[in-house]
Amino acid sequence: MIINQQIKLLNILKFYSQKKSLDILNNVSNKIKPFIGDKRLKRFEDTVNNRNKRFIIVCENLDNPGNFAAVIRSADAMGIQNLCLITESGNLDSNFEKHDMISMGSGKWVTVNKYKSTTECIEELKEQGYSIWSSDLSATAFQFDQLIFQPNKFTPQLSYFLSESIKNVNYLNNNNNKEVVEEEIIKNLAINELYNNKIVNNNNNNKNFIKNDEKIALVFGNETNGISELMRSLSDRRFYLPMVGLVQSFNISVSVAMTLAFLKMQGVITPDLSPLDRIKLLNKFILSSIPNNKLVLEKLGFDSDLIFKLITK
């Protein structure tokens, strides 16, 4: 009973702390927006509103910094905000930013968390509720394109199933006395019907069916040796991308791009940042475009150290 009350109190304190942070950062945002052009601000807002944190890209012990720069570029383009870089071994130092021509500057717009050990990275991700999925060519890995992800929204790729799916929804029968159900509602019902009946046949135990509340860290290993044995032992799942040619593997940046494209087509890389995360990211983007941003914040009456602490924690 006492433990439950303590948890409840901690949740209340967390709520008010987040609300206070949200109020402060909204105020900051309103004050700094005039320092950049309308077109750039609109680009930032659209990007933030389409960011995803359900999926995280993890790169372990790469040799070629250009490959990681290309991974960053693909992640940014697909709406992935967070990446992890493990440099326990391999020839890649953490100074990947110098390869700006490859990343096309996208390193400024994603969050890269750096780790010196695989164990440290994976423990942190698991504490945050992420399942660890590692790209691996071993015989017991599963074929990635045979997975069926429960979609978060209707996508054109599901249109083939739409007409058949809605037939099984009772109150969508043709009845002239009823109001027409909005298209978005029909699509959402079709998704549920498709996933629950047409494809999975109510067999929730099938390992190929991925529920839409599962947070996943996608791990890609060294260009030559793949993931480490330690990473292999810490993985919840191991997967591979199918190939029919004579080569045995894709370039790592190509593998990441293909994996994300498959997830995008399945309708599962969708906007999912909280209001607080969105305003943090928007302020980070705007401030990165303002020269002498700390001085600007101070002149506007803000504690610059506090603001940067709020947007980066």
Side-chain angles (χ1 to χ4, degrees):
M1 185 69 176
I2 295 177
I3 294 178
N4 289 337
Q5 290 177 342
Q6 290 175 337
I7 293 174
K8 184 176 181 180
L9 178 60
L10 288 173
N11 287 335
I12 292 173
L13 291 174
K14 182 179 179 181
F15 169 79
Y16 282 105
S17 174
Q18 290 180 343
K19 186 177 185 305
K20 183 177 180 180
S21 297
L22 183 61
D23 292 341
I24 292 172
L25 292 176
N26 274 323
N27 188 24
V28 170
S29 178
N30 291 332
K31 295 288 181 63
I32 62 177
K33 283 179 180 178
F35 286 83
I36 63 172
D38 292 342
K39 186 175 181 181
R40 190 168 182 80
L41 176 60
K42 177 66 164 55
R43 184 97 179 260
F44 285 161
E45 290 175 336
D46 288 345
T47 298
V48 167
N49 289 333
N50 282 285
R51 280 303 203 226
N52 176 280
K53 68 175 183 179
R54 175 188 175 187
F55 295 96
I56 287 180
I57 300 298
V58 181
C59 291
E60 184 194 33
N61 301 331
L62 302 189
D63 286 329
N64 187 338
N67 281 336
F68 188 63
V71 168
I72 289 176
R73 183 175 177 180
S74 295
D76 175 52
M78 289 292 185
I80 303 298
Q81 182 58 38
N82 297 306
L83 298 92
C84 298
L85 176 62
I86 302 170
T87 55
E88 190 168 20
S89 63
N91 298 319
L92 175 64
D93 61 25
S94 58
N95 189 25
F96 58 87
E97 290 90 347
K98 62 186 177 182
H99 294 269
D100 199 55
M101 287 297 292
I102 298 175
S103 66
M104 297 297 289
S106 51
K108 294 172 60 177
W109 315 120
V110 299
T111 303
V112 178
N113 296 304
K114 303 171 185 178
Y115 301 88
K116 289 295 184 181
S117 81
T118 294
T119 301
E120 177 192 5
C121 176
I122 299 308
E123 284 182 351
E124 186 172 305
L125 288 171
K126 289 195 173 185
E127 284 177 3
Q128 295 171 13
Y130 283 90
S131 297
I132 309 302
W133 290 23
S134 295
S135 176
D136 186 27
L137 292 176
S138 63
T140 55
F142 61 88
Q143 190 168 312
F144 194 75
D145 65 344
Q146 291 186 355
L147 293 174
I148 301 170
F149 286 82
Q150 182 179 7
N152 294 319
K153 67 176 184 178
F154 188 84
T155 63
Q157 290 75 25
L158 295 175
S159 61
Y160 175 82
F161 303 97
L162 176 60
S163 59
E164 188 66 24
S165 297
I166 62 177
K167 290 179 183 178
N168 296 325
V169 182
N170 292 332
Y171 64 85
L172 291 181
N173 290 334
N174 186 17
N175 188 333
N176 294 327
N177 296 324
K178 294 182 179 180
E179 294 183 2
V180 176
V181 180
E182 293 183 7
E183 180 182 356
E184 195 63 31
I185 295 177
I186 295 177
K187 288 178 177 179
N188 289 335
L189 289 168
I191 289 172
N192 293 332
E193 187 70 5
L194 169 65
Y195 185 80
N196 292 327
N197 297 315
K198 293 297 178 184
I199 293 182
V200 304
N201 295 320
N202 292 323
N203 183 0
N204 293 322
N205 294 321
N206 192 307
K207 62 182 180 180
N208 283 1
F209 305 140
I210 313 303
K211 290 291 188 179
N212 62 13
D213 58 352
E214 183 173 356
K215 297 164 65 177
I216 300 169
L218 299 162
V219 182
F220 298 85
N222 178 270
E223 294 91 335
T224 303
N225 302 315
I227 59 172
S228 65
E229 285 299 327
L230 176 58
M231 181 66 79
R232 189 171 285 113
S233 69
L234 294 173
S235 299
D236 299 298
R237 286 179 178 242
R238 289 174 292 111
F239 68 90
Y240 69 93
L241 299 173
M243 293 168 282
V244 295
L246 297 176
V247 296
Q248 294 184 342
S249 66
F250 295 108
N251 175 276
I252 179 177
S253 62
V254 173
S255 295
V256 171
M258 290 175 64
T259 302
L260 294 179
F262 176 77
L263 293 171
K264 193 76 171 178
M265 291 180 67
Q266 290 247 353
V268 293
I269 299 182
T270 54
D272 64 2
L273 298 190
S274 67
L276 180 57
D277 286 335
R278 288 199 301 270
I279 197 64
K280 282 182 180 181
L281 196 56
L282 180 60
N283 279 328
K284 183 179 177 181
F285 284 0
I286 295 174
L287 287 170
S288 70
S289 300
I290 300 176
N292 301 314
N293 46 37
K294 285 195 171 185
L295 181 61
V296 170
L297 286 172
E298 297 290 345
K299 287 187 174 181
L300 291 173
F302 298 108
D303 181 337
S304 61
D305 291 335
L306 173 62
I307 299 307
F308 276 95
K309 183 177 179 180
L310 288 177
I311 66 176
T312 56
K313 72 175 184 178

